[in-house]
Amino acid sequence: MFVDSHCHLDRLDPRTHEGDLRATLAAARERHVSQFLAIATTLEGVPGLAAMAREHEDVVISAGVHPLHEVPEEPSVEAIMQSADEHGAVGIGETGLDYHYTVVPREVQHERFRRHLIAARQLGLPVIIHTREAREDTLALIREHVDPEVGGVLHCFTEDLDMAREAVGLGFHISLSGIVTFRNATAVRGLASQLPLDRMLIETDSPYLAPVPHRGKPNEPAWVVEVAECIAGERGISVDEVAMQTTANFYRLFKAAKADVSSDMKQSLTQAGLI
């Protein structure tokens, strides 16, 4: 079984199963993808994600504002907490720092990230972090605000092994996306072989970053299997081992997701001794 730990189900491409969410999720389930974490990029989008989760028992959601999203008014800690609490979010984010682009000034990103981290700590929820070319500031804010017992995930990770190791030491998981399959992603494949498997998650970040052999197409949750296959090949282990361990990691991190596990999934996880 597989978990897509980071997908944007509210941004489904119309070319993907004719834009039909039900068909998209069904295609993923046929490949044994049994849980989906639908990631928020705006607080305004959280109610729509919550409606998806109510309709599909294997979908859970987050609440947060992406670091590169321009907003007329910055969300307060209280607004982030209220959105997460009201709509049953299992994590806070996607938040973080992205210094590759300048659409949102660094100082604004910094304060927005800090507020999300404070909200996550007060709610006892893991934080879902987007970080790009902002290593030191990301780690500094994690050290200052995150409870290592709760932790979080650095999603779609493309930074170096030293940063990954420090984040793991601070209670974080590292999530790899379809980038690991890209021809020029030698360094990311190196991470796939060296990261501790019990701290790894897999994701699609769909509809973005479709893995090989689907490059050029809008990504979809079913293709998280290709991510797992690539990691298994790099580590010299079975795909089943990657699938089961990353699934266990997901439920260990996102504890609130366990209540929404489907009955079949719960039975399988229980039989495997994972929950």
Side-chain angles (χ1 to χ4, degrees):
M1 65 189 71
F2 303 88
V3 171
D4 187 351
S5 69
H6 194 111
C7 51
H8 298 281
L9 297 182
D10 56 348
R11 297 190 176 192
L12 188 64
D13 192 286
R15 293 171 292 171
T16 301
H17 303 280
E18 299 182 342
D20 187 334
L21 177 61
R22 286 180 175 273
T24 298
L25 295 178
R29 293 175 190 127
E30 287 181 4
R31 301 192 75 194
H32 307 290
V33 184
S34 302
Q35 183 80 68
F36 311 86
L37 175 47
I39 300 295
T41 56
T42 69
L43 292 187
E44 293 77 12
V46 174
L49 293 177
M52 290 181 190
R54 287 193 296 271
E55 186 174 354
H56 304 280
E57 66 175 345
D58 48 8
V59 173
V60 291
I61 71 167
S62 70
V65 182
H66 192 283
L68 296 178
H69 182 69
E70 296 180 274
V71 296
E73 182 178 353
E74 286 298 312
S76 65
V77 172
E78 292 73 22
I80 298 166
M81 291 176 63
Q82 180 180 353
S83 179
D85 188 54
E86 181 179 343
H87 297 291
V90 302
I92 298 296
E94 169 177 3
T95 184
L97 300 172
D98 190 322
Y99 292 171
H100 185 75
Y101 297 103
T102 58
V103 61
V104 176
R106 291 187 181 187
E107 59 271 20
V108 175
Q109 290 189 43
H110 190 283
E111 178 60 21
R112 184 186 297 177
F113 186 27
R114 187 184 69 83
R115 291 179 183 181
H116 280 76
L117 294 176
I118 292 170
R121 182 157 192 148
Q122 292 191 20
L123 290 172
L125 291 176
V127 62
I128 301 149
I129 294 179
H130 169 115
T131 180
R132 188 175 185 188
E133 299 174 16
R135 170 186 173 144
E136 294 307 322
D137 286 351
T138 299
L139 290 173
L141 282 165
I142 288 173
R143 290 189 209 101
E144 183 178 357
H145 293 292
V146 176
D147 179 355
E149 294 299 313
V150 178
V153 55
L154 300 185
H155 107 90
C156 195
F157 190 77
T158 56
E159 305 295 332
D160 60 26
L161 183 61
D162 286 343
M163 182 180 184
R165 284 173 170 163
E166 184 160 358
V168 166
L170 294 169
F172 272 71
H173 289 66
I174 308 297
S175 183
L176 299 182
S177 69
I179 291 175
V180 74
T181 71
F182 294 2
R183 186 185 311 170
N184 62 350
T186 305
V188 180
R189 282 190 290 280
L191 288 169
S193 65
Q194 296 177 73
L195 289 170
L197 189 58
D198 65 352
R199 286 289 178 158
M200 189 182 294
L201 297 180
I202 54 176
E203 63 171 273
T204 59
D205 202 15
S206 55
Y208 316 108
L209 304 174
V212 174
H214 307 290
R215 300 293 294 133
K217 300 176 183 177
N219 203 358
E220 60 179 283
W223 296 343
V224 76
V225 178
E226 277 75 358
V227 178
E229 288 173 343
C230 183
I231 293 169
E234 291 299 316
R235 299 182 76 97
I237 60 177
S238 70
V239 177
D240 283 349
E241 186 174 350
V242 174
M244 293 298 285
Q245 184 63 64
T246 55
T247 295
N249 298 344
F250 178 86
Y251 289 110
R252 185 175 65 244
L253 177 61
F254 294 102
K255 294 179 176 60
K258 289 181 183 178
D260 293 323
V261 175
S262 68
S263 56
D264 288 346
M265 180 72 150
K266 187 173 292 185
Q267 182 178 2
S268 296
L269 289 168
T270 301
Q271 288 174 347
L274 298 177
I275 64 171

